[in-house]
Amino acid sequence: MIIKSLTVRFGAFTAVDDVTLEVPPGSIVGLVGESGSGKSTLARAVSGLVPYTGEIIGAGRRRVQMVFQDPYASLDPRMRVGASVAEGVRLSRAARRVEVERLLSLVSLPAELAGRYPRELSGGQRQRVAIARALGARPDLLVADEITSALDVSVQGAVLNLVRELRAELGLSVLFISHDLAVVRYVCDVIAVLHRGRLVEVGTTDEVVGSPRAAYTRALLEAVPRLGRR
Amino acid sequence: MRHLLRTPAGLAGASLVALMVVLAVAGPPIWGAAAERIDPAALLQGSSAAHSLGTDSLGRDLLARVLVAGRLSLALAALATLIGAAAGIVLGALPSVLPRRAARLVTGTVNALVAFPGLLLAMFTAVVVGLGARGAVLGVGAAIAPGFARLTQTLAASVARADYVAAARMLGVPRRRVLTAHVLPNVAEPLILHLTQALGGALLGLAGMSFLGLGVQPPSFDWGRLLFDGFARIYATPAVAVGPAVAVALAGVGFNLLGDALARAASRTGPPARGPAAPVASENRSPGEPDARAVLEVRDLTVTFPGGVTPVRGLSLTVAPGEIVGLVGESGSGKSLTAAAIGGLVPYPGTVRAARLRLCGADLGELTAERRRRLLGTSLAMVFQDPMASLNPALRIGGQLAEVAVVHQGASRAEAAARAVDRLGHVHVPEPDRRARQHPHELSGGMRQRAVIAMGLMGTPRLIIADEPTTALDVTVQRQILHLLRRATEETGAATLFISHDIAVVGELCHRVVVMYAGRVVEDLPVEGLATAAAHPYTRALIASLPDMDTDTSQPLASIPGRQPPPGEVGSGCAFAPRCPLAGEQCAEAPPLLPYGTDHHVACWKAT
């Protein structure tokens, strides 16, 4: 999928400015930037939730699905897990139940969770449900917007592992958005750095982390907290 | 439901409504005959032994008539409310499914109707439909509908912005189904609550219509009609008007009180908040000799909430001058409540117990409230995750900082203002004199957090408690704030308690790390040992599950199965045991925090 000259304006303010970015099939592209850099706006534009100018080539509507940052807000509190996961599934009633079980097992959740309400689930489990719901539409591209930043550290690892496993098993393409460079480095093949709505650097993870070209990327890398560096 | 009956207002409302329902069911069969019995010998009487509320122009007993009229009054009110609610909810929900132009038309109509006085709308409808009960019910229904429409629209609009609705749209769920599956179930609760209150309003409205002669016509009668008939005689025999008036008032008050109580129970707001809890010395434990050198010494701190919820369980902690101690834990581990307990900020109804809680050599549990307030005010600086929690949005930055010096150090206004500008400059706020004249909303998040730190540095704090001060900030700003905190600690010689969920940040800033799990300290170690020498399985797992810039990307990240038990469900054994690969029989008993090498303590039976 290719994002071509994508621009998002809110009135006079340009949130995303002429961004061109390719997400090759089966790869995870990381998008990093600070708050206000436009990364969440870009995610919403790619997902069709915000009007934009420019082109998105190679992914139709419903072929892009997004997983949101806050798993406490992205599941309907009055809808059972099974019904939430089934929302994107276009199958007969009987086939749908089987598909929901398959989707839940894809994200390593037991099938009996389908009958529960979100409030009975932990944050990590909710985020898995949100991922399962997105996978139900068989997307060409999964947009993951800060999917671990509302989770506790001990759960974050499992969700990151899941994203990598899904890519390996399903050949899923992912646009992975995060402010945390260590997380992006672990998950992504390519890293794109967004600063004030513009892409300042795109390259493979090794290139960007190992020999950053943009000054802004260097500042970001320098600011990553490291255990025991004092 | 028990919640509902606990407050006096809820109890009164529920009893009144129950009384009205009983009256509506049992009234006509019991008093029906008495209400219709014509007695030519007792026309237009006032209050007497035989007729306590007097009689009407046909000699019928008015008490019986009031008791019988309850059924018609309540039934009409219920009908009017249902009509109004149904019309209102449909009007309010339509904009969510209609195309944009039609939706705007509906919204505009509702706005116009809301602006129209309700009574006028009711009278207009009643006159158009025709005099009588039908006109009155439709009229009151029409008066109620715009309120319902507006409420539905507002609620639906807020649900429509939720992430789960965005997710449903992306999945291609049709708008009609979004409305029925997501929007309506999530707005139902407040609408049902509003229904109860609208019922009270409808009752009053119908009584008003009947009183104006627009409602129920003879020979039928409701409370409003009885009031209308009695009103002419109010100066001669007041009792005849009092009966129906009291009945209308009681029913109206009952439904409104019940509606209020239901709304409060649904929003789960507890009883009104009281002041924070003061620490209480816990009995029968000897904490040993106090550490004279420590800035902060906490022994056996426990924070409890009603219902057996104990977020902090027997925590001990010592912080020396110039030391930065990191308190790490996941959400729900009790780290923030520990800080709140030290600062005397545990909200009601929490109780704080400690064998010892000493700040700067003074025992906080033994001080009078006034002296404790002064000690905390001068020697403790607190920095929270959200700087707006510490800043008043209506006041200028400089004035707020100066306030500290005026209140706690007795400085003059001018001195205090000068010091505020100086402190702002000290924490690297550019153009401090201009910033001091600005309001908090004019500053960025990082600048606000600097201002809060500057506020803490107005005095000479002995202890700085920073609770997730950088969590809401960008990494580059986070780094600057961490530098600033370290410099402030070095310069003032104060001790710092730095609370964070992020073990990497703690590892970078602190000298010593205290790891909390389910309300207890599980490990306490020097930061140098964090990456390699951690002994508790939880600490190790936490470090292993955190990717950093050197993590091997070919291996899956470590993760901890299960979840931390919530504060109400922590058992007597080791709270980590259910998630621990090393757990054995011994772990059914909680392990004590024991020395493990130099400056290192671990609470684990399996640490060897």
Side-chain angles (χ1 to χ4, degrees), chain A residues 34 62 76 87 164 186, chain B residues 171 182 476 508 553 555 557:
Chain A
E34 305 200 314
R62 235 175 84 78
D76 185 338
E87 274 199 307
R164 288 173 30 132
Y186 180 72
Chain B
L171 290 166
H182 292 294
T476 48
E508 191 164 314
T553 53
Q555 297 295 317
L557 281 173

Side-chain angles (χ1 to χ4, degrees), chain A residues 41 63 73 91 169 193 203 210:
Chain A
T41 306
R63 311 307 313 186
L91 291 171
E169 281 171 32
V193 182

Side-chain angles (χ1 to χ4, degrees), chain B residues 257-597:
Chain B
L257 283 180
L258 183 67
D260 275 349
L262 280 174
R264 220 173 307 124
S267 64
R268 284 191 193 83
T269 45
R274 285 189 222 163
V280 179
S282 65
E283 57 293 327
N284 72 37
R285 289 220 203 170
S286 65
E289 280 302 299
D291 184 342
R293 227 174 48 83
V295 174
L296 174 72
E297 192 185 2
V298 181
R299 288 280 160 273
D300 221 357
L301 174 76
T302 299
V303 180
T304 329
F305 285 85
V309 178
T310 314
V312 181
R313 321 178 148 241
L315 173 131
S316 296
L317 188 71
T318 308
V319 190
E323 189 181 31
I324 307 181
V325 173
L327 194 56
V328 195
E330 297 177 67
S331 50
S333 62
K335 55 191 193 307
S336 287
L337 269 174
T338 301
I342 296 166
L345 296 174
V346 172
Y348 177 83
T351 47
V352 179
R353 288 181 185 283
R356 179 179 293 145
L357 191 52
R358 283 169 73 83
L359 180 63
C360 308
D363 204 314
L364 290 176
E366 287 166 9
L367 294 179
T368 61
E370 171 57 28
R371 295 195 48 196
R372 185 168 60 236
R373 204 181 61 82
R374 196 178 313 151
L375 177 67
L376 292 174
T378 51
S379 36
L380 174 66
M382 290 193 91
V383 183
F384 297 99
Q385 174 173 344
D386 178 9
M388 288 309 276
S390 315
L391 295 172
N392 183 335
L395 301 178
R396 293 174 207 282
I397 298 284
Q400 298 191 50
L401 264 65
E403 184 85 21
V404 180
V406 172
V407 172
H408 291 299
Q409 292 141 25
S412 74
R413 286 261 156 222
E415 281 167 16
R419 184 161 171 78
V421 173
D422 173 66
R423 294 289 88 182
L424 283 174
H426 193 75
V427 296
H428 294 289
V429 171
E431 302 178 77
D433 43 351
R434 191 171 69 86
R435 293 295 185 180
R437 289 195 302 275
Q438 288 184 327
H439 287 93
H441 72 263
E442 296 173 80
L443 273 59
S444 68
M447 280 301 150
R448 283 182 208 150
Q449 203 58 295
R450 282 167 196 270
V452 173
I453 295 173
M455 191 190 276
L457 297 178
M458 283 299 286
T460 44
R462 306 314 308 147
L463 176 66
I464 301 171
I465 295 180
D467 188 358
E468 304 266 8
T470 60
T471 306
L473 303 175
D474 284 322
V475 275
T476 48
V477 183
Q478 159 170 292
R479 192 160 176 74
Q480 296 160 3
I481 297 288
L482 294 181
H483 272 299
L484 186 59
L485 275 174
R486 186 180 307 148
R487 221 191 58 204
T489 310
E490 281 164 5
E491 282 174 5
T492 57
T496 295
L497 185 61
F498 183 86
I499 295 163
S500 179
H501 70 284
D502 190 335
I503 204 164
V505 170
V506 167
E508 191 164 314
L509 173 74
C510 302
H511 302 121
R512 200 149 59 78
V513 182
V514 176
V515 183
M516 279 186 84
Y517 186 79
R520 295 197 186 96
V521 171
V522 295
E523 184 156 17
D524 173 348
L525 77 168
V527 76
E528 293 76 22
L530 191 56
T532 50
H536 198 284
Y538 175 65
T539 316
R540 287 197 205 155
L542 211 52
I543 293 163
S545 62
L546 181 83
D548 65 14
M549 298 310 281
D550 310 307
T551 306
D552 181 356
T553 53
S554 63
Q555 297 295 317
L557 281 173
S559 68
I560 315 177
R563 66 202 277 196
Q564 178 179 249
E569 294 169 20
V570 180
S572 58
C574 173
F576 187 62
R579 304 171 75 182
C580 182
L582 306 177
E585 277 173 28
Q586 215 177 358
C587 303
E589 191 188 333
L593 189 66
L594 294 174
Y596 180 89

Side-chain angles (χ1 to χ4, degrees), chain A residues 33-36 39 44 47-49 61-70 73-79 83-85 87-90 119-123 125 133-134 136-137 149 151-158 160-161 164-165 179-183 185-187 209 216 219-230, chain B residues 161-174 177-178 181-183 185-187 189-190 329-332 472-479 482 486 501-511 527-528 530-531 538 541-543 545-564 579:
Chain A
E34 305 200 314
S35 53
K39 57 189 194 304
R44 289 185 163 258
S47 309
L49 294 174
R61 222 180 117 62
R62 235 175 84 78
R63 311 307 313 186
V64 179
Q65 291 299 324
M66 179 155 140
V67 179
F68 296 83
Q69 171 172 357
D70 184 359
S74 65
L75 297 177
D76 185 338
R78 290 174 203 275
M79 196 180 248
S84 282
V85 172
E87 274 199 307
V89 179
R90 297 280 177 274
R119 62 169 177 272
E120 301 169 63
L121 272 55
S122 69
Q125 286 176 319
R133 175 178 60 188
S149 48
L151 302 179
D152 275 317
V153 182
S154 69
V155 185
Q156 167 179 296
L160 295 180
N161 288 339
R164 288 173 30 132
E165 285 162 22
H179 68 283
D180 188 335
L181 258 170
V183 166
R185 170 188 167 274
Y186 180 72
V187 176
V209 173
Y216 180 69
L220 275 184
L221 281 167
E222 175 59 20
V224 176
R226 273 158 227 222
L227 264 188
R229 178 188 70 176
R230 302 214 310 109
Chain B
R161 278 195 297 272
D163 283 348
Y164 54 82
V165 171
R169 276 169 55 198
M170 273 189 293
L171 290 166
V173 177
R177 167 130 182 91
V178 169
H182 292 294
V183 178
N186 280 294
V187 304
E189 193 173 295
E330 297 177 67
S331 50
L473 303 175
D474 284 322
V475 275
T476 48
V477 183
Q478 159 170 292
R479 192 160 176 74
L482 294 181
R486 186 180 307 148
H501 70 284
D502 190 335
I503 204 164
V505 170
V506 167
E508 191 164 314
L509 173 74
C510 302
H511 302 121
V527 76
E528 293 76 22
L530 191 56
Y538 175 65
L542 211 52
I543 293 163
S545 62
L546 181 83
D548 65 14
M549 298 310 281
D550 310 307
T551 306
D552 181 356
T553 53
S554 63
Q555 297 295 317
L557 281 173
S559 68
I560 315 177
R563 66 202 277 196
Q564 178 179 249
R579 304 171 75 182

